[in-house]
Amino acid sequence: MRPATKSIPADTGSEDASARGAEILSLILNELEDDKAEEIVKIDLNGKTDIADAMIVASGRSARHVGAMADKVSKRLKDAGIIARTEGLPACDWVLIDAGDVIVHLFRPEVRQFYNLERIWSETARAPVRPEA
C-alpha cells in the first residue's frame, strides 16, 4: 500500500505553479503505471497552449479498465487536495480528467487510434504561427 500523498499547495507564483504542476504530473503518472495503463505518453504543452502545462494520453485494455483507472486517478487527485473534473465515465471509451495543470486522456485502444491525439499535438507543435492579415 502506498503512503498518503501530501496536499499540493495552491498556485502562488510561477515557480510554485511549476512545482505544483510537476507534482500533479508525477502523481498521475505513478497511478497510471500502478494501474497497468498501456502506452503512456506525456506531451509537454508549455509554449503551445494556455489550457495546461502537460497532457497525458494512455490506454486501458477495456472500458472497465479505463473506468477503473479514471476512478483511481480522480481519487488520488482528490486525496492530494486537487479538484479535477472528469468527462466520459458512463461509456469509458474516452475519459478526460482535467486536473488544471495536467489533462489526462484515457482511451480504449481502438478509440485512441481513431482520434490519434499524439499526432495532432505533435503537428500543432511544429506548425508555424501566422499573424492574421
Side-chain angles (χ1 to χ4, degrees):
M1 183 171 209
R2 181 189 336 226
T5 306
K6 67 179 179 175
S7 182
I8 297 171
D11 185 3
T12 57
S14 63
E15 196 170 293
D16 289 342
S18 179
R20 180 177 181 263
E23 193 166 344
I24 293 170
L25 184 62
S26 177
L27 181 148
I28 292 168
L29 289 171
N30 288 335
E31 186 60 45
L32 290 175
E33 288 175 12
D34 287 352
D35 293 342
K36 307 292 188 240
E38 298 176 350
E39 300 180 50
I40 301 170
V41 174
K42 176 192 162 269
I43 301 169
D44 183 14
L45 299 179
N46 282 317
K48 298 174 191 165
T49 182
D50 291 333
I51 62 171
D53 294 335
M55 179 183 299
I56 299 170
V57 181
S59 297
R61 294 178 300 278
S62 65
R64 179 177 279 185
H65 187 209
V66 169
M69 288 189 302
D71 285 342
K72 288 180 81 178
V73 167
S74 295
K75 183 180 181 334
R76 287 283 311 263
L77 290 167
K78 183 179 179 183
D79 291 347
I82 301 162
I83 298 170
R85 294 183 302 258
T86 305
E87 297 288 334
L89 276 175
C92 294
D93 288 334
W94 176 0
V95 177
L96 176 125
I97 302 169
D98 181 353
D101 295 327
V102 181
I103 297 173
V104 182
H105 296 275
L106 303 174
F107 291 98
R108 283 188 309 108
E110 57 275 10
V111 178
R112 180 178 181 171
Q113 184 177 14
F114 179 79
Y115 288 103
N116 201 356
L117 291 183
E118 296 96 327
R119 181 188 54 79
I120 292 170
W121 280 97
S122 65
E123 287 179 5
T124 300
R126 285 181 269 158
V129 177
R130 297 183 197 143
E132 293 189 30

